[in-house]
Amino acid sequence: MGDYGQAVSSLTAQVPGSNPPSSVTDSDEISVLVTGFGPFKSNLVNASYLIASSLPSAFTFSPTPSKNSDATPRRVSIHVHPSPIPVAYSTVSTTIPAILDDYVKAHGRRPDIVLHMGIAGMRKFYSVETKAHRDGYVMSDIKGRAGYEDGEKHWRELDLPLMLKAGPVTESEEISVIASPEKGHLIPRPPDDNFLVAWKTFCPPETDARISTDAGRYLCEFIFYTSLAQAYHGGHDRNVSFLHVPATCLDEDIELGKEVAIALIKALVTSWSDEQVPSNP
């Protein structure tokens, strides 16, 4: 099966990282819940979980100033799920709700950002996904099953949308939040060209980072839709993002992947903090 990388003992225990002191209060802290996948097919080790488990437990940074936001330092806490998610539709459909429930029980609130990561074997670049589809998961998982019974069938019964993106609860609430935003409140929106600029600003030089409109209709897109659907059905902000990383597991590639993932989180905080009208969900 291979080494998944350094494990953590609980939802709140993290791989040690560099955590600079911060004057930001806990109420302003941005919490991020992160998952990565386990092995599948010829990928005996999954780079997404190696990258996830290498992330620091917290960091502080100053968002890039824009006309709608300032550069007030933000402290970010990262909570990595302590084991890789099996590449199986049935497991994802039951595990993701349980992970969110456990997080709420442990922290008293939902995370500000949910970030799922997976590998894209044919891509040599990093890509953030823009949308996830409800139907069409026909490729077999590690259990030899397609995704209809554990996803599409249930989602159709709930009359969920054919496609979901990051976004606020409803368009009407979107307006009220923008008119009178809570302090530190993030307004999720799908990544766009401005987001890509911010992400690349935080990435190491020459990083090939892109926006993708095709998450692959396999477990990566399935977990993305599962999280978005859970938020949508539960009446919560769809504060979910998905990062595709290259499959290579060399030490230097995992280190770069860690820096790119941190840059993505910084870009999400920066973009979602802007008090501007988001893209249509």
Side-chain angles (χ1 to χ4, degrees):
M1 298 289 285
D3 180 13
Y4 292 115
Q6 185 172 355
V8 290
S9 59
S10 71
L11 187 63
T12 55
Q14 301 299 310
V15 177
S18 175
N19 303 325
S22 171
S23 60
V24 182
T25 62
D26 289 343
S27 62
D28 292 327
E29 185 173 88
I30 302 298
S31 60
V32 184
L33 176 61
V34 181
T35 72
F37 276 112
F40 69 103
K41 297 182 179 179
S42 62
N43 300 283
L44 300 182
V45 181
N46 196 310
S48 68
Y49 188 72
L50 294 181
I51 292 170
S53 60
S54 72
L55 292 172
S57 60
F59 63 85
T60 300
F61 80 108
S62 294
T64 304
S66 73
K67 64 180 181 180
N68 296 306
S69 65
D70 58 28
T72 302
R74 305 300 297 269
R75 181 168 174 82
V76 177
S77 61
I78 300 177
H79 309 268
V80 180
H81 184 60
S83 59
I85 305 297
V87 182
Y89 297 108
S90 60
T91 305
V92 168
S93 66
T94 57
T95 300
I96 295 307
I99 290 174
L100 266 296
D101 288 345
D102 287 346
Y103 184 95
V104 172
K105 291 176 183 176
H107 300 276
R109 65 184 183 93
R110 292 172 59 84
D112 296 298
I113 297 171
V114 178
L115 174 60
H116 299 297
M117 291 193 287
I119 61 172
M122 302 304 293
R123 298 181 187 177
K124 305 301 181 184
F125 53 88
Y126 298 88
S127 53
V128 60
E129 300 298 336
T130 56
K131 57 188 176 182
H133 295 87
R134 184 191 68 188
D135 305 341
Y137 297 92
V138 297
M139 287 189 286
S140 298
D141 61 16
I142 60 173
K143 297 181 179 180
R145 293 168 55 96
Y148 178 78
E149 291 291 333
D150 299 301
E152 181 179 338
K153 179 181 178 181
H154 175 61
W155 295 330
R156 282 176 175 268
E157 291 171 351
L158 295 176
D159 196 27
L160 295 180
L162 283 168
M163 183 267 292
L164 284 171
K165 299 180 180 181
V169 181
T170 66
E171 290 185 2
S172 59
E173 290 186 19
E174 172 184 313
I175 296 172
S176 64
V177 167
I178 295 168
S180 181
E182 298 177 12
K183 184 178 181 181
H185 181 82
L186 300 184
I187 305 170
R189 58 178 65 91
D192 55 16
D193 290 342
N194 291 332
F195 176 89
L196 183 59
V197 170
W199 185 19
K200 287 186 174 181
T201 298
F202 292 120
C203 280
E206 308 303 322
T207 299
D208 191 353
R210 309 181 191 181
I211 291 177
S212 168
T213 58
D214 181 5
R217 285 299 217 287
Y218 192 44
L219 266 298
C220 289
E221 187 164 356
F222 188 86
I223 199 173
F224 192 18
Y225 190 91
T226 298
S227 274
L228 289 166
Q230 184 181 12
Y232 179 90
H233 187 63
H236 304 292
D237 285 348
R238 300 183 302 282
N239 56 347
V240 186
S241 185
F242 191 94
L243 173 63
H244 263 126
V245 303
T248 176
C249 293
L250 297 176
D251 289 347
E252 57 266 32
D253 295 319
I254 299 305
E255 179 64 24
L256 175 59
K258 180 186 75 172
E259 295 303 318
V260 171
I262 292 172
L264 179 67
I265 292 170
K266 291 178 179 179
L268 288 169
V269 173
T270 301
S271 173
W272 292 3
S273 295
D274 285 350
E275 296 169 23
Q276 60 188 17
V277 177
S279 304
N280 292 329

